[in-house]
Structures are given as C-alpha cells and as structure tokens.
Amino acid sequence: MKYAYYPGCVAEESCSELDQAMHLVAAKLSIDLVPLEEATCCGARDLSESEPEVGLALNARNLALAEAKGLNKMLTICNTCTLTLSEANLRLKTDGAAMAAANKALAEIGMSYRGTVNVTHFLWVLLQEYGLDNLKKRVVRPLNGLRVAPFYGCHILRPAESLGFESAEKPTSLAKVIEALGGRTVPFAGEKKCCGFHIVAVKESTSHRMAGRILSEAADEGADCMVTPCPLCHLSVDAWQGKAGKAVGRNFSLPVFHLPQLIGLALGLSASQLGLGRHLVGVGGVLQRLGAA
Amino acid sequence: MAENKRVKFRIFRYNPETDREGRFQEMEVPVQPGWTVLDVLQYIKDEVDGTLTFRRSCRSGICGSCAMKINGDAKLACKTQVGFELEKGSTITVEPLGNMKQLKDLVTDFEGFWQKFTKVEPWLQPDESKVPADREIPQSQEEVDVIDRVADCIKCGSCFGDCTVLEADPDFLGPMALAQAFRFAADSRDAKKKERLSDLTRMGLWWCAHCYRCVPCPKQVKPAHAILALREMAIQEGLVNDPGVRHVQAFRESIVRYGKLNEAMLVLKTRGIFKQLTDFPQALAMMRKGKAKPPFKKPIRKIDDVRRVVKAAAGGVQK
Ligand code: FES
C-alpha cells in the first residue's frame, strides 16, 4: 500500500509528535508513505473562503505533485486538510471550468492536474483498505479495556457532501478502531462537536469554552483518555486543556492521543518513540495501565 | 397491511410546575410503516399520555414548528422517518432543541432566537429615491438566484439549536440570523449593504468556527455557506479591521512567503503582539514541550513556483 503523504502544517510544527508516530506506525503496518517535499499548506478554511480560486490552484498543485509521482491516493492525518483537499479535488473533478482555471495557473510552472488522485485520511484507510482484522493481528499490547472517548471533531465528518465516508450523524469509525485495539469506546455527547480551534485567535474565550465542554462531556462519562484524528483538535483539547478547564470552571487531566499514537501503543511502540512526552497533559496513568511505562 | 413494529423511544419530559429538572421517559410504541417521529409523538399524545407537549402544525416540513433533537441532531420531527433513525440504534432519543430555554417537554423558548433575528434588521432597506412610485423594484433572475436559497428559511431553529459556537457563547448571532443577514445584504434592491456588513463584523461575523453543524438544514439553506459569503463581501467592502480578517490575511501571507503555515506568525498577526505577550505562561509551557515554534522559518523548496501559481490564480493581482 502506497500513498502520497500529506501530513499538513500543524503535524509538522507544533504537533510533530503526530508525524513522528505516523511514520513509525506506517512502517509497522507496511504502509508506504511517499513524501511530497514541495507541497504547500492546503490553506485550510481560510484561503478557500477568502480567495477560493487561489486555494483551488494551490491544492491542484498539491494533488498534481502526487499525480506526477504516479500515485493515485493522498493520505492525510488532519481533519481540516482532509476536508480542504477533498473539497478542492471534488470541485476540480466535477467542474470543468474550475479545473481549466486551475490548470491555467499550473501551466505557469509547467504542471497540470488530470484529476486522478483521491484524498483519504489515515482513519479511513484503516477501515476501507487496510482492514481492522489485519490491524487486530498486529496488536501486541492490547488496550486492555482502556476507556477511550472517540473525539471525531468536524472536518472529517462535515459537510458530508464533500466527504461522505461515513454517517456525519452517527460516526462509528473511531469506535471500531478503539475496539480492534482492545479498548472500550466511551460514547459521549461531544464526539462530533467543534473543538473551537479555528476561532482561537479570533475569539479565544469562546474557543476554550467549546473545548472545555467537550472535555467535560468525555470526563463525565468516565473516559480514561481521548483519541482524535486531527492535530488541530489535539491542540485545543491537549495543549490548551488548562485554559479549557478554566473556561468551564473545572480542572481536567485527560490524556489525549493522536490516532496513530493510540495504535502505536497497541503495536508495541514505546512512549518516547510516539512522542508522548510532547503532550501538555501527561499520559503516565494510561502507560502504567498498559504496562508501557 | 404491513405489520406494526414495536420501537423503543426515550423522550425528554419536563414540567416546570412539578419538576426541578427534566428526565427521560422510556416507552415502546407500535410504529406503523412510514411513520415519522412526529406521528409517534402524536400517537403517544392521543393514546398514551395526553400531557406530552410539543409544537407542530403543518406536518409537512413547511411551518418549522416541530424542530427538536432526534438522536442528538436537530431536525424536523415531521420529516424524520422512524426507520431512518433506527439504522443508528434500537432506541430513538427525542429531546428539545439545544441553546434555548426549556419550557415544557419538547417545547423551547424561541425568544433569544427572534431577538438575534431582529438584530440583523431582516427587512429590505432600499434607497427610497430610487423606488419607482408605480411598481415594485425589478430583479433579474440572476439577482434572485443569489438569495433564493437562503430566503427558503422557515425559522425552525434547527441550526440555532445545534450551533457549537452558540453553545459556548450566547452572544454569538448564530447561523439563522447570519444567513438572513446575507439574504438582505446580498439583495440587489437593498441600499444598506456596507452598513449591514459593518454591523455584522462588530456583532461577531468572524466568530463562526465553520463546524458545518448547520449545513444539514431541513430546507437546504446551509447557513455556513451564507456566512462565508458574508465574510467575502465584508473583505471586499474593506472591513478588514477585525481579528478574523487579519487571520485570513496572515494565512495567505504565510503561504506566499513560506509555502506553509507559520503558526507563530499567524497568531502574532491575528492577535497582536501585546495580547501574545500577556499569554506568556501558556507560551512557555508549550515551548518546554517543543510545541511553540519561533516565527522564523525557511520557505519550502520551489517557493517561487508557489508564488507564481498564487499570482496567476488571483488574476495577476497581488492582494
Ligand atoms: S409540523 Fe410543520 S415543519 Fe414539522
């Protein structure tokens, strides 16, 4: 299995532990990640809103970089990258004028995009292509009934018409992965709520209250930890967990794992290999329980 | 005739005269093929418990009375098939809309919802001197198309009830009011576009986190898209003195300069140096974990390619 690898900016900067864990987990699962050294930021929601044509051309370039390497699948590990790239790709493939305009811009640098690439997220690859049975077979350190709250966030689910991998109303993919690893899923009200990341610089107090509510809902259901497929969500509920707690008048200490980290633990990778020491909220309790400390 | 099917429901009950707080009542209902959740509620009211309170009128998705939370998502009870909800699990949970005061059982107080609607002045404000004396102001089909979809809003409150920003911040205008603000700001007959956009910027146009919870609207109004359109209009009108706009602009600048997002620069430009400095403890904690990067960064390989593509796509105009 071979993918053009698009980690996104945050997994390369403040959440570089995610990129690190993804590489090790991919190696364990024999998933080949081909780097795209010249890829740009996807522009997130910001560029695709303020200047859709520029966002579209840049993402056509990103997709064309994968195409030029003979790859027809691009793997992301960030919700917002997944949505932004999927949306751009869908528009390029279905709107001839948009494709022509993007290719006109790409012609300036001698490139073009033919629309042969599909965008996917690591979570989807596990379910759709790798298979959970396969994953189960590689588990050497089962999560042992660890109570894990699945936090999906937004852009891996909505808008459904741009993504359409699973039900945006009742997603189950994370729960399935948790159970394949031997953990117990803790359903909670905030599973598909917004972590507030995208307004943290605009309306900080509101953003932290949004994250605080999600953490409250997970903690109240008795979760030992949380797992997220998105580094932006991770910043909101891990790096800013203290502020999120203050915003809702609580004091949390809920470890939050990036999806590849939780998988990596079950595959026998060590805490330091998975960069768990870079989290703001300590994960020691969970490691001890799993005998991984 | 096809068989009835016994289906379990968990229905939120609350009577302000006797209960300190609400609770869920479980009941099994013999559901006939094709029944909607509203049919079930009506059956319970007629046959089981006449005190069950909910709003409804048209029973065909037109009046907007019957919005409530069904299995966690706000929707119209009269348009929601029991069979569809059963695909998610064997019990169907029915609750009142979120972000509103609960009045009784499934009925909520729409007061705040209407107040926000009023705040965006949802009426046409044309330039009176240009209104013909003898007839209405004509609009082309294209002009109608711009606002047609948002004008379909039936004010059911679904988007308001599920808005994740409103949940944390009651001051936010919310999706319905913003979508209706777009309906007038983008109306070719309206003369108050700039004032409207300036008021909206002040009232929190940039607080929407684009979570897209309001996109599955029963009437396809899709407020999130209207909010994005308003933001584009606001930038075009030069209303750029807002952290939200600075954020968008810093994003673009970062990509043109480095090809990637420069987190430190983005935050600095959006919030300003002073606010950033006062957040020192958080910055320090993140620095210790290697999570805060300095605002110096090397551009990606072939950054000139990126700049040329941006320039070409923006029509050669460097904004
Ligand atoms: S009863 Fe009128 S919309 Fe449902």
Side-chain angles (χ1 to χ4, degrees):
Chain A
M1 298 170 83
K2 206 170 176 180
Y3 299 87
Y5 178 50
Y6 188 95
C9 301
V10 174
E12 288 182 329
E13 278 215 358
S14 48
C15 285
S16 57
E17 71 276 5
L18 165 59
D19 177 53
Q20 177 184 331
M22 185 65 236
H23 277 289
L24 293 174
V25 167
K28 282 246 174 211
L29 301 179
S30 312
I31 294 175
D32 200 358
L33 301 178
V34 182
L36 299 171
E37 293 91 354
E38 293 149 25
T40 62
C41 169
C42 69
R45 311 316 296 151
D46 298 76
L47 197 56
S48 50
E49 287 165 15
S50 63
E51 282 174 283
E53 305 321 316
V54 174
L56 201 65
L58 282 178
N59 285 320
R61 179 176 170 277
N62 287 329
L63 293 159
L65 288 170
E67 197 171 68
K69 286 185 191 268
L71 299 166
N72 60 7
K73 280 177 195 152
M74 184 183 267
L75 183 147
T76 73
I77 46 174
C78 165
N79 284 5
T80 299
C81 292
T82 302
L83 173 61
T84 308
L85 285 161
S86 299
E87 216 171 44
N89 202 24
L90 188 70
R91 175 134 183 251
L92 290 165
K93 287 185 185 186
T94 53
D95 175 347
M99 180 70 117
N103 270 329
K104 204 173 149 209
L106 290 188
E108 293 278 321
I109 55 167
M111 285 186 81
S112 71
Y113 179 51
R114 285 178 291 119
T116 61
V117 178
N118 282 324
V119 178
T120 187
H121 186 287
F122 176 51
L123 174 61
W124 303 350
V125 166
L126 286 173
L127 274 95
Q128 235 170 4
E129 291 160 53
Y130 193 79
L132 292 177
D133 287 336
N134 249 337
L135 180 64
K136 264 187 218 159
K137 278 186 219 148
R138 313 222 174 188
V139 171
V140 296
R141 190 196 282 142
L143 297 186
N144 242 340
L146 187 74
R147 285 165 302 182
V148 189
F151 178 42
Y152 293 87
C154 303
H155 295 161
I156 200 166
L157 300 172
R158 293 181 298 269
E161 59 262 41
S162 310
L163 299 159
F165 171 76
E166 63 182 318
S167 158
E169 288 188 359
K170 190 155 175 69
T172 55
S173 56
L174 276 177
K176 285 178 184 152
V177 173
I178 292 167
E179 276 141 40
L181 303 174
R184 249 174 48 207
T185 306
V186 180
F188 70 110
E191 277 177 31
K192 49 185 183 148
K193 282 187 187 168
C194 174
C195 71
F197 176 85
H198 289 286
I199 54 168
V200 71
V202 178
K203 192 84 164 68
E204 193 184 358
S205 54
T206 306
S207 167
H208 292 320
R209 257 199 310 279
M210 290 163 80
R213 294 181 66 103
I214 290 163
L215 287 160
S216 297
E217 286 159 354
D220 291 347
E221 295 294 339
D224 298 320
C225 63
M226 187 181 263
V227 66
T228 165
C230 176
L232 314 185
C233 294
H234 196 271
L235 284 174
S236 289
V237 290
D238 172 73
W240 305 321
Q241 191 171 114
K243 289 184 167 202
K246 251 190 221 135
V248 295
R250 292 183 62 162
N251 200 348
F252 302 112
S253 177
L254 191 71
V256 185
F257 293 96
H258 296 287
L259 178 64
Q261 288 178 324
L262 193 72
I263 295 171
L265 277 176
L267 297 182
L269 293 165
S270 73
S272 67
Q273 282 175 305
L274 296 169
L276 291 171
R278 299 187 79 246
H279 291 193
L280 270 280
V281 180
V283 299
V286 173
L287 296 180
Q288 240 158 27
R289 252 194 83 167
L290 300 180
Chain B
M1 203 180 97
E3 281 288 287
N4 289 349
K5 186 172 171 182
R6 296 196 72 81
V7 178
K8 260 199 228 134
F9 284 83
R10 277 175 79 232
I11 297 176
F12 184 87
R13 302 301 306 264
Y14 170 62
N15 180 350
E17 281 161 22
T18 54
D19 308 336
R20 257 202 302 154
E21 54 183 27
R23 73 202 140 79
F24 282 98
Q25 183 182 9
E26 301 210 2
M27 47 180 101
E28 240 182 51
V29 176
V31 172
Q32 285 177 25
W35 267 16
T36 64
V37 172
L38 186 63
D39 292 327
V40 171
L41 297 176
Q42 196 60 52
Y43 170 87
I44 296 171
K45 192 172 178 70
D46 294 343
E47 308 291 332
V48 185
D49 179 354
T51 69
L52 179 66
T53 308
F54 52 92
R55 289 197 181 100
R56 69 119 179 96
S57 176
C58 72
R59 292 187 294 167
S60 50
I62 295 167
C63 72
S65 313
C66 67
M68 55 188 75
K69 231 190 253 182
I70 300 170
N71 280 335
D73 289 287
K75 38 181 86 174
L76 298 178
C78 71
K79 275 187 79 180
T80 305
Q81 291 286 326
V82 172
F84 176 80
E85 291 302 318
L86 278 177
E87 285 169 19
K88 300 180 199 163
S90 58
T91 303
I92 297 176
T93 302
V94 186
E95 301 163 82
L97 287 176
N99 295 327
M100 296 185 191
K101 201 176 132 211
Q102 292 163 353
L103 292 180
K104 190 173 183 225
D105 293 341
L106 302 169
V107 176
T108 52
D109 185 355
F110 271 59
E111 185 56 31
F113 178 82
W114 297 124
Q115 271 174 13
K116 285 175 178 172
F117 185 41
T118 317
K119 270 194 184 165
V120 305
E121 305 191 355
W123 53 85
L124 201 63
Q125 300 179 48
D127 178 347
E128 293 299 341
S129 68
K130 289 190 186 138
V131 179
D134 53 341
R135 63 189 176 101
E136 59 279 7
I137 314 175
Q139 270 190 308
S140 71
Q141 187 57 49
E142 289 73 38
E143 287 166 343
V144 175
D145 287 345
V146 174
I147 54 170
D148 208 18
R149 186 164 49 83
V150 279
D152 280 346
C153 173
I154 54 173
K155 318 290 180 294
C156 69
S158 291
C159 59
F160 190 95
D162 270 358
C163 174
T164 57
V165 175
L166 257 179
E167 213 184 282
D169 189 346
D171 291 339
F172 182 48
L173 278 173
M176 182 282 284
L178 283 168
Q180 293 317 302
F182 171 81
R183 184 248 167 276
F184 292 98
D187 191 312
S188 57
R189 300 163 296 181
D190 198 81
K192 286 270 168 63
K193 180 171 161 191
K194 177 135 191 195
E195 287 92 325
R196 287 182 189 277
L197 290 166
S198 152
D199 289 347
L200 291 170
T201 302
R202 192 174 34 78
M203 292 192 289
L205 171 60
W206 293 89
W207 302 353
C208 162
H210 22 62
C211 77
Y212 301 106
R213 276 297 287 256
C214 58
V215 168
C217 157
K219 286 297 191 192
Q220 267 83 54
V221 171
K222 304 186 182 181
H225 299 318
I227 295 172
L228 305 188
L230 280 174
R231 289 177 174 182
E232 244 185 285
M233 288 162 69
I235 295 179
Q236 277 161 15
E237 291 289 336
L239 297 161
V240 293
N241 188 21
D242 185 276
V245 188
R246 290 199 293 273
H247 192 258
V248 166
Q249 289 173 335
F251 228 97
R252 180 194 215 271
E253 194 184 327
S254 176
I255 295 174
V256 173
R257 270 217 224 164
Y258 309 103
K260 295 263 171 137
L261 186 61
N262 183 335
E263 293 170 0
M265 181 186 110
L266 188 73
V267 174
L268 210 64
K269 294 225 163 173
T270 309
R271 302 172 60 190
I273 184 82
F274 177 71
K275 198 140 183 258
Q276 199 46 27
L277 283 175
T278 55
D279 210 1
F280 195 62
Q282 175 74 31
L284 198 66
M286 288 181 71
M287 222 131 67
R288 272 205 213 101
K289 300 283 184 176
K291 282 196 173 266
K293 303 281 178 189
F296 323 107
K297 204 179 156 90
K298 266 208 337 239
I300 60 162
R301 255 166 52 186
K302 298 212 182 161
I303 185 70
D304 283 336
D305 275 10
V306 175
R307 292 172 188 159
R308 278 160 69 192
V309 169
V310 169
K311 199 169 169 191
V317 202
Q318 276 292 346
K319 280 181 215 167

